[in-house]
Amino acid sequence: MAPSSRKNVSAAVAVVLLLLIIITAGNAEMAAVEGAICSHMSATYLGLCWTSKGCDITCRNEDWNSYGGKCDNDFPPHCICYKKCPPWHC
């Protein structure tokens, strides 16, 4: 094999390896973001949040895509809803 052809093969292998590293890193980042959960205060829950069951029902009724909700530990307690983050949020 001629020296110039070995250089071409080495360069091609290096490019392929670099592309594989970039693709793998991108997929790992997407997988980490894909499972992200966003939270927001309920827009329709009325009053102080004392029971998470009522908050959970309210959040599910607000957004069919919701994972539900629970009362936070702040004072005064609020109803916090959870759902999968949109791709552009993360």
Side-chain angles (χ1 to χ4, degrees):
M1 195 180 250
S4 65
S5 121
R6 283 185 187 164
K7 286 183 182 178
N8 289 342
V9 170
S10 295
V13 169
V15 168
V16 169
L17 288 174
L18 182 62
L19 288 173
L20 286 173
I21 290 170
I22 291 171
I23 291 169
T24 304
N27 286 342
E29 186 177 319
M30 282 177 43
V33 170
E34 195 173 294
I37 297 175
C38 291
S39 63
H40 65 278
M41 194 180 307
S42 171
T44 59
Y45 191 87
L46 299 175
L48 300 176
C49 189
W50 298 112
T51 63
S52 288
K53 183 178 179 182
C55 173
D56 185 59
I57 292 168
T58 300
C59 289
R60 291 178 192 276
N61 288 336
E62 270 183 34
D63 184 359
W64 64 272
N65 218 7
S66 176
Y67 292 148
K70 67 177 189 173
C71 300
D72 65 8
N73 293 325
D74 291 343
F75 187 80
H78 299 96
C79 177
I80 305 297
C81 302
Y82 300 93
K83 68 184 221 175
K84 183 177 176 181
C85 291
W88 62 86
H89 186 270
C90 301

